[in-house]
Amino acid sequence: MRPEYVVHTAPEIIKIRRAAHMTAVARDRICSLVHSGMTTKDLDNIAGEVIRSMGGTPAFLNYRGYPGNICISVNDEVVHGIGRHDRFILKGDVVSIDVGVAFEGGIGDTARTVYVGNEEEMPEDIARLLEYTRKSLEAGLAAAHPGGYVQDISRAVEEVAQEAHLGIVREYVGHGCGIRLHEPPDVPNFAQHRKGPKLVPGMVLCVEPMLNLGSHRVYTESDGWTVRTRDGEPSAHFEHMILITENGTEVLTRV
């Protein structure tokens, strides 16, 4: 029977903390290298080089058959976009970068969405999408504390998304992470009928709102991986890993 959640040991947490920090540094380096004119395959290759140069291994590569080093999702692609030689990144695109790194028995997982071009020229609706997806993540992190419940995180994310009138992707959610890429529990971005597991010290969770400028509805392309919005509207994705401690919450992927 699948456990409701995982509580990591002190030695595991040391490994997870190191892997998460490495993943955060890799995320920031990769995001800084996104530019107009490159292909998503170019970016995927660069990401693999960045991760390996730090001593890590791309955690997504070959995970359940996934063929890329990282996930690169452009505009109406929500998550799990695969680097392609024929997909060019252009000025005005929004690009979601989801990075996973395995390092010495620990796993890190984090994501950020970037705008390609001068941010002062960013359309208002795109600025709202990115701003409130980021705010919903921060609200979820602030709601996580020992003695609370997964539901507290979910409700906090949902309230910010609803305030901004953004679609909340329902089919894909946050999750436990640590020594495996996906561990229980699920961490939805919308309130459930049940509280979910109690948050206890030693739990490591990925909080990752995926919000759409239009409807919440999505579909998966014929490649079996790339998830897109049904209405063609842009999507954004931000993700942090957190550790529940005796005294509060530690964000493992903030650098």
Side-chain angles (χ1 to χ4, degrees):
M1 185 176 177
R2 186 175 187 259
E4 272 204 317
Y5 58 89
V6 175
V7 176
H8 292 284
T9 65
E12 288 174 342
I13 290 170
I14 291 171
K15 295 176 181 179
I16 295 165
R17 197 178 267 121
R18 288 172 179 165
H21 178 77
M22 181 181 289
T23 311
V25 172
R27 175 203 62 213
D28 290 353
R29 288 183 185 174
I30 294 163
C31 286
S32 72
L33 296 170
V34 177
H35 62 83
S36 176
M38 72 190 316
T39 69
T40 54
K41 183 61 175 175
D42 293 335
L43 183 57
D44 186 73
N45 290 339
I46 289 169
E49 292 171 2
V50 168
I51 293 168
R52 292 183 181 92
S53 72
M54 299 171 68
T57 301
F60 299 165
L61 183 61
N62 298 319
Y63 180 74
R64 298 179 180 174
Y66 184 76
N69 290 304
I70 62 171
C71 297
I72 306 165
S73 306
V74 183
N75 296 333
D76 64 325
E77 297 171 353
V78 181
V79 285
H80 303 159
I82 301 167
R84 290 168 30 183
H85 292 293
D86 61 348
R87 183 65 187 269
F88 285 85
I89 294 172
L90 304 174
K91 183 179 179 181
D93 283 345
V94 288
V95 183
S96 295
I97 307 295
D98 192 356
V99 181
V101 176
F103 179 69
E104 295 185 347
I107 299 282
D109 187 7
T110 181
R112 176 177 296 169
T113 300
V114 298
Y115 176 75
V116 182
N118 187 342
E119 291 195 359
E120 294 180 357
E121 300 174 358
M122 191 187 310
E124 288 185 9
D125 57 350
I126 298 298
R128 175 168 60 90
L129 173 65
L130 268 59
E131 177 185 0
Y132 278 89
T133 307
R134 190 183 298 109
K135 282 184 175 180
S136 71
L137 170 60
E138 293 299 329
L141 303 182
H145 55 83
Y149 292 85
V150 167
Q151 174 82 311
D152 300 332
I153 301 171
S154 302
R155 190 179 302 280
V157 172
E158 181 181 48
E159 287 176 354
V160 174
Q162 288 180 335
E163 175 189 347
H165 305 290
L166 297 173
I168 305 168
V169 175
R170 306 180 80 82
E171 292 86 343
Y172 299 90
V173 298
H175 54 91
C177 186
I179 58 173
R180 296 178 180 84
L181 183 57
H182 288 96
E183 300 173 347
D186 288 344
V187 185
N189 295 308
F190 52 94
Q192 307 287 292
H193 294 300
R194 56 190 296 270
K195 293 181 179 179
K198 191 173 184 177
L199 302 179
V200 299
M203 291 176 69
V204 178
L205 305 174
C206 289
V207 182
E208 51 176 323
M210 289 155 272
L211 305 183
N212 302 338
L213 198 54
S215 164
H216 71 277
R217 297 185 182 278
V218 300
Y219 71 98
T220 303
E221 282 195 339
S222 59
D223 63 15
W225 287 102
T226 307
V227 177
R228 305 181 82 125
T229 60
R230 285 199 174 275
D231 56 13
E233 292 289 344
S235 183
H237 178 199
F238 288 84
E239 175 183 14
H240 272 311
M241 282 179 70
I242 59 172
L243 168 67
I244 306 299
T245 72
E246 294 284 353
N247 300 315
T249 302
E250 178 183 348
V251 182
L252 301 176
T253 48
R254 202 192 300 278
V255 293

